[in-house]
Amino acid sequence: MMRVISGVVATVALTVGVMGALPASADTISRETLARKFVDYCVNTQYRVEGVDRNSMIERCRKASDQAMTQFEGNSFDAPSRSKFTAEQDTAIRAAIAAAFAKK
């Protein structure tokens, strides 16, 4: 009985060690996913702003997302943790939203 338990503990330890050595692919997202998260963020924030034209909001948010994405190269990005963007992502989307929704 003790050998079985020791074997199970050794197997679990080996599995945890192997899993720790694998790349953390869950910590990155694709370019398309980040762009979609930017659009979602924009819509969620702008929907609550008084005086924003709801008919053009989605299109303006898409433009803001496109503008923010121009600041990033490549196809893989750090995944936002708990729906919070990285500092660089947050700065990019906030500036793009401000430009897209600026009073003209």
Side-chain angles (χ1 to χ4, degrees):
M1 180 70 172
M2 195 60 140
R3 281 188 184 171
V4 172
I5 293 173
S6 297
V8 170
V9 170
T11 302
V12 169
L14 179 61
T15 303
V16 169
V18 169
M19 293 303 286
L22 294 176
S25 62
D27 295 335
T28 60
I29 56 175
S30 68
R31 183 170 202 80
E32 294 77 22
T33 301
L34 181 58
R36 189 172 53 245
K37 286 185 178 293
F38 280 164
V39 171
D40 291 346
Y41 174 80
C42 177
V43 169
N44 286 330
T45 58
Q46 293 304 303
Y47 187 79
R48 292 177 276 190
V49 175
E50 191 172 313
V52 170
D53 178 23
R54 305 284 187 254
N55 295 322
S56 65
M57 180 176 59
I58 300 293
E59 188 57 35
R60 291 169 120 184
C61 283
R62 285 185 183 134
K63 288 180 182 177
S65 174
D66 291 344
Q67 182 180 350
M69 289 304 296
T70 62
Q71 298 188 26
F72 300 99
E73 294 180 5
N75 292 316
S76 182
F77 304 95
D78 290 337
S81 64
R82 296 186 185 182
S83 300
K84 292 184 180 178
F85 294 116
T86 64
E88 184 180 31
Q89 293 166 352
D90 187 62
T91 301
I93 191 58
R94 286 178 186 264
I97 290 171
F101 287 87
K103 302 284 186 208
K104 295 177 182 175

